[in-house]
Amino acid sequence: MHTRRKFIKIGSLGLGAAALTTGLANWVVGSASSKNSSNGSQSLAYGKKVATYCEVCFWKCAGWAYVTPNGQIQKIIGNDDDPQCNGRLCPRGTGGVGMFSDPDRLKTPLIRVTKDGEQTYREATWDEALNFIATKMKEIREKHGPESMALFNHGSSGKYFTHLLNAFGSNNVAAPSFAQCRGPRDTGFELTFGESVSSPEVTDIRDTRCLVLIGSHIGENMHNGQVQEMSEAIDKGAVIITVDPRLSTAASKSKYWLPIKPSTDLALLLAWIHVLIYDQRYNKAYVEKYAEGFKELKEHVKDYTPEWAYGITTIKPELIRNTAREMANAAPSVIIHPGRHTTWYGDDVQRSRAIAILNGLLGSWGNRGGIYFKEGIKVPEFPRPDYPKPAWSWQDTLNGRYPFAKEAVTNTVIEASIPAEGKKNVIKGWIVSGTNLIVSIPLKEELMKAMQSLDLLVVVDTMPMEITGYADVVLPECTYLERYDDLRATAHREPTLALRMPAVEPMYETKPAWWIAKQIGERLGLGSFFNYKDFKEVLEWQLNKIGSSLNEMERIGLKKFERKTALYIDPNDDFKFKTPSGKIQFNSKELQEAGFDAMPKYTSHPQPEDGFYRLIYGRAPMHTFSRTANNRNLVALMPENSVWVNPQIAELWGIKKDQYVWLKNQDGVVSNFSVKVRITERIRWDSVYIVHGFGHHHKPLTYAFGRGVNDTELVTHVATDPIMGGTGMRGNFVTFLTTQPKKEAKG
Ligand SMILES: Nc1nc2c(c(=O)[nH]1)N[C@H]1C(S)=C(S)[C@@H](COP(=O)(O)OP(=O)(O)OC[C@H]3O[C@@H](n4cnc5c(=O)[nH]c(N)nc54)[C@H](O)[C@@H]3O)O[C@H]1N2
Ligand SMILES: Nc1nc2c(c(=O)[nH]1)N[C@H]1C(S)=C(S)[C@@H](COP(=O)(O)OP(=O)(O)OC[C@H]3O[C@@H](n4cnc5c(=O)[nH]c(N)nc54)[C@H](O)[C@@H]3O)O[C@H]1N2
Ligand code: SF4
Ligand SMILES: [Mo]
């Protein structure tokens, strides 16, 4: 591999950048500068509360930022009217101000240059950086066509760059939230019910009588509304059943904990389906009325008995039967939770299908305490010319694979960026915004090859995350507390709109993404797609169209609208599901026609060799992936991750509590840093657990650097789901190194 792009540490530039800003002291107290930036006339509301919605994760809770009369952000609290948070933010949302006040923030645009034979960044003005990008994008358009520009995005900023790319003539827009996250679940549910459970999930947890969590660790997975509703349901006596090789926080609140052997969930799900059908405990009236393929399903699961599943899952047959009965007793007020991060073992769509089928058998879809119908407000689109039609798009990067991928697959867009003899449609330029691909995509080799081959790599971020070190141009976005953004119009039990406006002016030379996209667009001759001076104009226009105004939204932060459709199925209506036949698909003809199993079958997955343990990972309540790893408020709550090890295994290895160890995986890859051992009965002997998002090796992240280990670097085996392209990441095994391996930690 040639190294056209050497990894550059942004930190070496720190001081110069500060000199360009309004003064370093600002970050200490989080005070706002009063300079007039060129991004329009943002009227600031000092000495009051300012409407916002949180960007620390994608639940997007609506809240208020309290700003003191001298322009300091004092605190952020939840908006009482918001059904997604009910006035309460999670620890990360409360600590969100740490993103704004982080002294390690990106402060000014940077351009890669070679100085004395060495690659480095130089600080640049916005004009220089934007001109550089526009020139390169024009070259790419002329030489290869506009389709050869791609965008990787996650979070609010993605929308503006998607608009920019669509206007430019490219549809190559991908996010890790599909092929590294919820893709299998969405695909499995769409194939079964004709639609997915979206975000926030339409699970009626508040009113459920039985909630089954299969590897979904609500409570550590801190999606606010769900956590609150789960605790409400528990208070009301709901039965919680948690299937997890680890005694998660949710498992500790459950009536049943099923410590399953990892990778065998499909066997348990099939056995549950078997019990419901053969013990005649499924919801007969519902199935007769709304489902299709029951006869085939019954035949299909004939031999999937609890006794069969016991040998695979290690869950006792009686426990399988009892838990199936609990679900049946609660039906239809029961939820087999679809989960969210579902890219585990490569047969994840089929596992999600089994979860969907169980929900169908119990009649939960469209019933109180099961799955409700969401309703949202449709915000009209600001007038713009039609987008040009690209000559090819991300669908072409699939090359006939993953026929049920409804969203772009990051993996194939990365692959399309690696040139090869005779390869057509090669991607030549990337914009990466709001995603730290180095930590979120497990395909390291492909990612590196692709990044080395590009003609242009632009990274838009707020922090000097690992991905920034590979960019030609780094653009510093201001944080969510310093900008206007799109209206939050997520659908829920009741339609709501939420406003985000700047609590303070952008610090340093940072700018909002809407401004950055517009500036690039104008330089590319696409000004008619950005027909406004300030994003406020767009918001005002949209709000006026739906009977509100910026003034009103600034005052209330969140507006509720009346629901127009039913929340649940009306039994007197002729209800149709959004599948081709209008019925729930137990036996999927769509899958069959594409050459896949029409109903989920159990297939076994590799198990760890002697001395190795399955590496499983998850979330901690006080962090979001890697994006909070440097947030001083949250680092104070949880400075590093630890590796959970069963006492039997610790004894076998002679490992002590709090000892630091290195992890080595099945391919010989050793963790960059060491990790503290947590010895606990709460994990099966055959697995170890770490929280994702730690072990940063980029020194400019002064707080996050070297703290804990990074699961992604140990995920060198990926099992790709043939149905939609999800990267199954839980087929990796690690062993312990108790002395420091002879290896320099990468700086
Ligand atoms: N090994 C492993 N891989 C995983 C996962 C895992 O658990 N383990 N989880 C998977 C899942 S579920 C998901 S959803 C993905 C998430 O993947 P990512 O979305 O890539 O997650 P983060 O690591 O949080 O990266 C977010 C980036 O956005 C930047 N950022 C934060 N705020 C802003 C902003 O306002 N503007 C801009 N422009 N940038 C901002 C942060 O500094 C950071 O660089 O990762 C997936 N990959
Ligand atoms: N605090 C916090 N909350 C978050 C996030 C965050 O970064 N921080 N990220 C959000 C995002 S984008 C997502 S996608 C979700 C992800 O959250 P979820 O969808 O809830 O969960 P996962 O990360 O897939 O699952 C982690 C759990 O699966 C268990 N597990 C591992 N292997 C197996 C197995 O083979 N079988 C079973 N049954 N269980 C297994 C682990 O022990 C762990 O408890 O969280 C969201 N909420
Ligand atoms: S759940 Fe927490 S981090 Fe996520 S949006 Fe809500 S307050 Fe922010
Ligand atoms: Mo996710």
Side-chain angles (χ1 to χ4, degrees):
M1 197 203 303
H2 64 130
T3 46
R4 177 189 305 198
R5 274 184 192 83
K6 279 233 164 90
F7 183 76
I8 306 178
K9 285 175 239 157
I10 283 171
S12 49
L13 301 157
L15 274 179
L20 271 178
T21 72
T22 49
L24 196 60
N26 274 352
W27 65 261
V28 184
V29 286
S31 80
S33 80
S34 56
K35 77 186 151 96
N36 242 335
S37 57
S38 48
N39 56 320
S41 53
Q42 295 179 339
S43 65
L44 292 184
Y46 289 147
K48 56 179 177 189
K49 56 182 199 178
V50 180
T52 188
Y53 57 86
C54 182
E55 183 83 9
V56 187
C57 87
F58 306 110
W59 203 254
K60 297 183 178 160
C61 299
W64 296 105
Y66 279 73
V67 184
T68 62
N70 61 352
Q72 293 174 26
I73 301 177
Q74 210 175 19
K75 61 176 179 182
I76 312 169
I77 62 159
N79 186 317
D80 288 337
D81 291 333
D82 184 16
Q84 276 160 233
C85 78
N86 307 305
R88 278 176 286 163
L89 300 184
C90 84
R92 298 167 297 156
T94 308
V97 70
M99 271 163 113
F100 158 74
S101 59
D102 197 319
D104 296 331
R105 273 175 66 171
L106 294 171
K107 301 177 178 87
T108 177
L110 302 170
I111 297 181
R112 175 183 295 264
V113 288
T114 305
K115 219 164 128 188
D116 305 327
E118 276 292 306
Q119 293 191 5
T120 182
Y121 285 121
R122 77 169 173 83
E123 287 153 12
T125 64
W126 275 100
D127 248 349
E128 282 174 310
L130 296 164
N131 288 340
F132 179 95
I133 295 165
T135 306
K136 286 276 184 190
M137 282 179 73
K138 280 184 197 159
E139 275 172 29
I140 290 173
R141 181 166 61 187
E142 268 151 40
K143 270 206 232 157
H144 310 281
E147 300 82 2
S148 286
M149 275 302 299
L151 167 68
F152 292 91
N153 75 103
H154 203 187
S156 301
S157 65
K159 178 112 188 238
Y160 317 108
F161 295 110
T162 302
H163 174 60
L164 172 68
L165 250 76
N166 290 164
F168 187 64
S170 172
N171 265 347
N172 286 317
V173 176
S177 48
F178 185 72
Q180 280 69 45
C181 176
R182 58 179 167 70
R185 154 196 109 173
D186 288 359
T187 311
F189 272 68
E190 275 156 17
L191 285 163
T192 314
F193 292 108
E195 61 187 305
S196 186
V197 289
S198 61
S199 174
E201 283 82 7
V202 284
T203 44
D204 206 9
I205 298 178
R206 185 179 70 186
D207 289 323
T208 201
R209 295 175 53 217
C210 178
L211 175 64
V212 183
L213 300 173
I214 303 182
S216 185
H217 54 332
I218 298 177
E220 285 149 298
N221 156 0
M222 202 59 201
H223 277 169
N224 199 341
Q226 285 195 75
V227 183
Q228 292 184 29
E229 290 199 15
M230 182 168 145
S231 124
E232 207 180 317
I234 292 172
D235 288 347
K236 288 195 286 189
V239 171
I240 314 288
I241 299 167
T242 299
V243 184
D244 198 310
R246 186 179 63 94
L247 186 85
S248 60
T249 305
S252 70
K253 307 255 182 275
S254 299
K255 180 165 174 192
Y256 300 93
W257 172 39
L258 280 57
I260 197 166
K261 179 170 175 178
S263 81
T264 66
D265 297 74
L266 200 38
L268 172 69
L269 290 161
L270 289 164
W272 271 339
I273 296 175
H274 174 99
V275 174
L276 290 178
I277 294 181
Y278 285 91
D279 289 3
Q280 309 235 15
R281 296 301 304 270
Y282 66 99
N283 190 334
K284 277 195 202 115
Y286 184 94
V287 167
E288 267 163 32
K289 196 164 174 189
Y290 297 116
E292 204 170 66
F294 178 75
K295 236 177 64 201
E296 291 88 342
L297 179 67
K298 183 170 177 182
E299 179 57 27
H300 177 71
V301 298
K302 200 169 69 192
D303 298 328
Y304 291 136
T305 59
E307 286 68 25
W308 163 81
Y310 175 43
I312 296 170
T313 59
T314 73
I315 306 298
K316 294 228 162 75
E318 252 337 275
L319 191 52
I320 298 180
R321 288 207 166 81
N322 287 345
T323 43
R325 277 177 212 135
E326 290 275 11
M327 294 176 215
N329 290 343
S333 297
V334 50
I335 305 164
I336 323 301
H337 199 283
R340 187 173 176 114
H341 172 63
T342 46
T343 47
W344 300 358
Y345 299 108
D347 56 354
D348 304 306
V349 173
Q350 293 290 13
R351 188 186 62 253
S352 295
R353 277 266 299 147
I355 293 174
I357 289 170
L358 260 179
N359 279 300
L361 279 173
L362 292 160
S364 59
W365 191 287
N367 274 311
R368 180 181 297 278
I371 287 162
Y372 65 79
F373 300 128
K374 63 185 175 181
E375 192 178 308
I377 284 291
K378 199 153 173 35
V379 178
E381 203 181 344
F382 192 73
R384 57 155 173 91
D386 287 340
Y387 292 135
K389 193 171 165 10
W392 60 276
S393 62
W394 65 264
Q395 282 89 349
D396 296 284
T397 69
L398 300 174
N399 287 330
R401 296 161 295 175
Y402 320 133
F404 294 94
K406 285 232 177 118
E407 292 176 38
V409 175
T410 43
N411 340 351
T412 65
V413 177
I414 292 169
E415 188 188 80
S417 312
I418 304 172
E421 265 307 294
K423 191 165 173 176
K424 283 200 317 200
N425 302 344
V426 178
I427 290 168
K428 291 290 177 183
W430 289 3
I431 298 176
V432 179
S433 183
T435 170
N436 189 11
L437 296 179
I438 310 297
V439 180
S440 50
I441 307 277
L443 308 155
K444 188 171 176 197
E445 225 171 278
E446 287 86 347
L447 185 61
M448 290 300 158
K449 261 193 214 154
M451 291 196 302
Q452 290 305 341
S453 310
L454 297 171
D455 290 348
L456 174 67
L457 175 48
V458 179
V459 173
V460 187
D461 208 299
T462 53
M463 291 294 298
M465 289 297 186
E466 280 77 7
I467 183 71
T468 56
Y470 296 91
D472 297 318
V473 185
V474 181
L475 301 178
E477 192 180 28
C478 53
T479 66
Y480 70 102
L481 292 163
E482 303 161 287
R483 66 192 194 219
Y484 280 103
D485 257 316
D486 242 346
L487 295 164
R488 187 201 84 182
T490 44
H492 208 269
R493 288 194 186 89
E494 46 192 337
T496 58
L497 269 189
L499 175 73
R500 175 186 285 162
M501 61 181 289
V504 291
E505 283 232 23
M507 279 175 81
Y508 315 112
E509 291 301 315
T510 63
K511 302 282 187 197
W514 69 258
W515 181 90
I516 302 171
K518 174 176 154 70
Q519 291 292 322
I520 299 173
E522 284 169 355
R523 284 166 171 78
L524 292 167
L526 303 170
S528 57
F529 287 89
F530 300 89
N531 203 7
Y532 42 86
K533 276 210 179 63
D534 196 303
F535 203 66
K536 274 170 81 171
E537 285 167 46
V538 176
L539 297 174
E540 186 73 285
W541 182 89
Q542 290 177 321
L543 287 166
N544 290 345
K545 287 266 170 204
I546 45 183
S548 180
S549 66
L550 205 47
N551 224 327
E552 183 192 32
M553 288 303 291
E554 288 182 359
R555 190 164 40 79
I556 58 179
L558 180 127
K559 191 174 168 76
K560 285 189 182 183
F561 295 80
E562 214 170 296
R563 230 193 126 96
K564 299 206 171 73
T565 57
L567 189 57
Y568 307 112
I569 293 179
D570 178 346
N572 303 316
D573 264 7
D574 178 25
F575 180 79
K576 293 248 179 310
F577 282 85
K578 290 178 182 151
T579 52
S581 66
K583 298 212 162 189
I584 301 169
Q585 304 286 299
F586 286 157
N587 182 31
S588 169
K589 293 191 190 70
E590 285 176 272
L591 280 174
Q592 193 168 28
E593 276 159 22
F596 300 109
D597 294 333
M599 285 173 284
K601 282 187 189 144
Y602 175 72
T603 41
S604 64
H605 296 288
Q607 296 301 323
E609 286 182 11
D610 257 7
F612 279 80
Y613 309 92
R614 187 181 296 273
L615 176 69
I616 59 178
Y617 54 80
R619 314 280 175 239
M622 29 331 229
H623 282 282
T624 306
F625 316 114
S626 61
R627 65 169 52 210
T628 53
N630 207 67
N631 180 324
R632 281 150 172 75
N633 293 339
L634 301 177
V635 171
L637 300 176
M638 180 179 175
E640 62 192 304
N641 58 2
S642 57
V643 58
W644 295 34
V645 179
N646 183 280
Q648 274 181 52
I649 300 303
E651 199 186 324
L652 192 75
W653 282 81
I655 294 173
K656 300 272 169 304
K657 175 175 173 274
D658 293 343
Q659 179 179 343
Y660 279 82
V661 297
W662 286 260
L663 301 178
K664 182 168 107 176
N665 83 355
Q666 74 284 343
D667 295 323
V669 173
V670 179
S671 58
N672 236 325
F673 303 105
S674 57
V675 61
K676 199 194 254 186
V677 173
R678 169 171 177 190
I679 299 173
T680 171
E681 294 281 359
R682 292 176 61 167
I683 181 121
R684 283 177 60 105
W685 66 270
D686 54 6
S687 306
V688 296
Y689 175 80
I690 55 176
V691 170
H692 170 66
F694 289 87
H696 284 270
H697 65 263
H698 202 198
K699 282 197 174 134
L701 298 167
T702 54
Y703 259 52
F705 179 81
R707 290 183 193 259
V709 296
N710 170 5
D711 53 335
T712 311
E713 64 188 5
L714 298 166
V715 177
T716 51
H717 175 77
V718 172
T720 307
D721 196 310
I723 301 177
M724 52 57 70
T727 53
M729 302 190 262
R730 294 212 177 125
N732 292 273
F733 311 111
V734 294
T735 191
F736 310 106
L737 300 180
T738 48
T739 52
Q740 176 151 23
K742 281 196 198 67
K743 182 175 147 220
E744 283 280 295
K746 278 183 247 153

